[in-house]
Amino acid sequence: MTRFDTDAAIADEAPTADVGPRMLLREARSVPLGGVRAMEVHRALPQRDLPLVGAWCFLDRFGPQRTRMRVEPHPHIGLQTVTWPFLGEVRHRDSIGSDVVVTRGALNIMTSGAGIAHSEYSVGDDPIPLDALQLWIALPESRRHGPPAFERHEDLPVLALPVTTGAAHAAVVVGEFAGAVSPASVYTPIVGVELHLAAGTRVEVPLRSEWEHALAGVDGEVAVASHAAASDVTTLADMHLLYLGTARSSIALEAEGDATVFLMGGEPFEDDIVMWWNFVGRTHEEIAEAREAWEAGAERFGHVVDHGDERVPAPPLPGVRLTRRRRRI
Ligand code: MN
């Protein structure tokens, strides 16, 4: 995924003190992606007042739609991309030689380290039904200057959760959840889980109280409350993000019909980040340097396998310095 919009810089502001529990609903915004033959995506993260949930710094839903996806080679630094499809096949090629098709049930996770480039195409020449999440994970200082890497995983742990009524299953996409660990390489304490609730399910989903969490609505509606008897019920639907904050050991979910949500969370990230276009860094200068390198065709980003000269050009930097983003809720 590449970004055709860029965030305007905002001034540094004092962060909100200790997070604590929250129940804040945010709507994903519609963003055109892909230039002239635009496809539309829904972006739930970052939000203007919420740059990170743990190390998660980006969440796009592309689809459900019938489209021909052609995201030409573009660069990344300082992050991992997590591609989790619901429908359709996407071909990924990158500058370390990967050329794979990702489909439902499989995870593609790409670690940029200091620099990688990749392309993302829907399979075939015609529009196909597509639906997927793409998330980005900010890399910590200890990994963000390292080499690029790519992994594909088809055997992720799937758990049946203890329920009050109904049935609930959890696919552990990245990190650790309820004692199960995804095989995907991650570099901070983190969790990313697809939760499926059958119609009529009531379930308490375990959380780590020292981590922050959010739920992204994927399909159907889920009533979310602090615990089963709580009155703070919020309805989460698709294309919405519910930020839960920290200091929760569980969250109560209830679904009248079949529903799917994506749980994302982790240890509050070690640093504020500067995020611009497809880059995650810590300073304006780092981002400007990466942009220059991409525009110059520098070796840093390599050459995407089986591609010619096609590439996504970097947008111009804004006329003001890029600054670190902080949570303000
Ligand atoms: Mn990308």
Side-chain angles (χ1 to χ4, degrees), residues 146-180:
F150 178 83
E151 295 173 11
R152 170 189 175 76
H153 295 284
E154 295 182 34
D155 294 311
L156 299 172
V158 177
L159 313 172
L161 299 181
V163 295
T164 309
T165 61
H169 288 87
V172 186
V173 181
V174 296
E176 186 179 353
F177 176 77

Side-chain angles (χ1 to χ4, degrees), residues 92-324:
H92 160 98
R93 284 170 283 180
D94 64 35
S95 52
I96 53 172
S98 317
D99 184 350
V100 301
V101 171
V102 67
T103 190
R104 175 70 184 155
L107 163 69
N108 274 8
I109 183 164
M110 181 180 81
T111 303
S112 74
I116 196 168
H118 73 147
S119 68
E120 293 157 294
Y121 280 26
S122 52
V123 167
D125 292 327
D126 300 320
I128 61 168
L130 273 185
D131 192 11
L133 298 181
Q134 188 172 95
L135 304 103
W136 297 352
I137 301 170
L139 286 169
E141 192 61 28
S142 58
R143 183 62 182 87
R144 72 189 187 97
H145 305 289
F150 178 83
E151 295 173 11
R152 170 189 175 76
H153 295 284
E154 295 182 34
D155 294 311
L156 299 172
V158 177
L159 313 172
L161 299 181
V163 295
T164 309
T165 61
H169 288 87
V172 186
V173 181
V174 296
E176 186 179 353
F177 176 77
V181 182
S182 162
S185 298
V186 290
Y187 301 94
T188 50
I190 195 166
V191 63
V193 170
E194 182 187 307
L195 292 170
H196 179 74
L197 279 61
T201 295
R202 295 170 65 191
V203 59
E204 293 262 346
V205 175
L207 305 177
R208 293 191 175 210
S209 60
E210 68 276 24
W211 288 7
E212 60 179 339
H213 295 90
L215 287 167
V218 173
D219 195 28
E221 284 190 355
V222 174
V224 184
S226 291
H227 53 87
S231 57
D232 61 341
V233 179
T234 299
T235 300
L236 175 63
D238 63 338
M239 311 301 177
H240 286 74
L241 183 79
L242 181 60
Y243 178 62
L244 301 171
T246 61
R248 296 180 182 278
S249 57
S250 67
I251 192 85
L253 305 185
E254 183 169 357
E256 285 186 20
D258 286 353
T260 302
V261 296
F262 194 88
L263 169 69
M264 53 204 295
E267 189 174 277
F269 197 60
E270 64 185 22
D271 213 349
D272 294 328
I273 61 171
V274 178
M275 187 163 149
W276 179 82
W277 194 41
N278 300 315
F279 302 144
V280 171
R282 303 293 184 271
T283 66
H284 175 94
E285 286 72 21
E286 281 182 296
I287 301 291
E289 187 183 324
R291 182 189 178 281
E292 281 299 305
W294 175 248
E295 290 302 283
E299 194 53 40
R300 174 174 181 177
F301 295 107
H303 183 264
V304 179
V305 64
D306 201 29
H307 270 279
D309 294 334
E310 60 275 24
R311 61 193 284 281
V312 179
L317 282 167
V320 293
R321 285 181 60 78
L322 301 168
T323 56
R324 296 185 185 213

Side-chain angles (χ1 to χ4, degrees), residues 1-2 74 76 118 120 134:
M1 196 60 64
T2 185
H74 60 276
H76 287 287
H118 73 147
E120 293 157 294
Q134 188 172 95

